[in-house]
Amino acid sequence: MNTEQRREIFRRFQAANPHPTTELEYTTPFELLIAVILSAQATDVSVNKALRKLYPTHNTPEQIYALGVEGLTPYIQSIGLYRTKARNVIETCRILLERHGGEVPRTREELEALPGVGRKTANVILNTAFGEVAIAVDTHIFRVSNRTGIAPGKNVEQVERNLLKLVPEEYRMDAHHWLILHGRYTCIARLPKCWNCMIADLCEYEPKTPLPEKGV
């Protein structure tokens, strides 16, 4: 795949969705941080459902830390790995209060020092909350990057590096959101919806999945 093909792919993504963003519901960087921590190996739908009950009364580090693990657990027990996540969230709130004045830090190093925050989560915060060029490679983005040929790589670090190098500069800020949405709804894992794909003619995946027959 060459530069012009990649540029056309992202031109189409932008034309279809000019202002893409996360499907996690949040109003502050802190709310986004907690949502992303909770979203590991869980759906955004399940996280949003839980946080709609939590955030109206507890949406600051002070308020959530005051709940403690036992107090937080009932709000998030519908989310996978909720016990570990509850401990991580409470410890993250403690660190934010003690080291960062209750604010979400803006550097990768400080973000990755928070419990439950790895490189992928840090990239989401840097990009979505703080408007920096960063690409968080999850399973969807890893699959789409390799399957289409946009930015192949053997692991998530390789794919991230290749995306930052190969995605045309004018599209890098929003590339993460376009790719994750494409992987979530069109270029799905088991059977990609090639018949309904806006970049099928530019994609290197073969064979393309045909339109399913009615009743199948």
Side-chain angles (χ1 to χ4, degrees):
M1 184 175 290
N2 61 43
T3 300
E4 287 312 307
Q5 287 173 299
R6 291 187 181 90
R7 179 168 281 107
E8 176 61 16
I9 284 172
F10 285 97
R11 187 198 68 76
R12 293 181 191 181
F13 284 155
Q14 184 182 61
N17 187 1
H19 305 291
T21 189
T22 179
E23 292 187 316
L24 291 168
E25 297 170 1
Y26 74 98
T27 59
T28 66
F30 174 73
E31 288 187 358
L32 179 62
L33 173 63
I34 299 308
V36 179
I37 291 174
L38 295 176
S39 71
Q41 300 181 52
T43 65
D44 289 359
V45 171
S46 68
V47 173
N48 289 337
K49 186 176 180 180
L51 293 181
R52 284 175 200 148
K53 298 175 183 178
L54 175 68
Y55 281 166
T57 54
H58 301 82
N59 69 339
T60 67
E62 294 91 344
Q63 291 168 340
I64 293 180
Y65 184 64
L67 283 174
V69 171
E70 295 304 315
L72 176 61
T73 296
Y75 289 99
I76 67 170
Q77 60 188 3
S78 59
I79 301 172
L81 306 175
Y82 69 90
R83 289 187 179 88
T84 299
K85 291 176 181 178
R87 290 193 295 270
N88 286 339
V89 167
I90 295 302
E91 183 64 7
T92 286
C93 290
R94 183 189 68 78
I95 293 172
L96 292 180
L97 292 167
E98 291 183 0
R99 302 181 191 174
H100 303 288
E103 299 294 323
V104 177
R106 288 174 170 260
T107 71
R108 180 186 303 283
E109 294 73 23
E110 289 172 316
L111 285 167
E112 290 188 25
L114 299 172
V117 177
R119 184 174 182 86
K120 182 179 74 173
T121 299
N123 280 342
V124 172
I125 302 303
L126 291 170
N127 178 257
T128 307
F130 298 137
E132 295 187 21
V133 175
I135 299 177
V137 179
D138 68 349
T139 55
H140 295 302
I141 295 179
F142 184 80
R143 179 177 66 255
V144 171
S145 297
N146 277 286
R147 183 185 274 167
T148 62
I150 290 173
K154 294 180 180 179
N155 53 55
V156 293
E157 291 82 8
Q158 231 176 49
V159 168
E160 181 185 339
R161 285 197 301 270
N162 288 338
L163 284 169
L164 289 170
K165 180 175 71 173
L166 296 172
V167 173
E169 185 175 0
E170 63 268 31
Y171 299 115
R172 284 177 200 159
M173 180 66 72
D174 293 321
H176 160 257
H177 296 300
W178 285 318
L179 291 170
I180 197 171
L181 292 170
H182 191 65
R184 185 172 288 166
Y185 297 110
T186 302
C187 196
I188 58 180
R190 290 187 59 190
L191 204 63
K193 300 177 182 179
C194 301
W195 70 90
N196 192 38
C197 176
M198 71 178 73
I199 63 166
D201 57 314
L202 298 165
C203 167
E204 295 180 352
Y205 176 69
E206 296 291 347
K208 298 291 192 290
T209 308
L211 178 67
E213 295 179 15
K214 288 185 178 180
V216 176

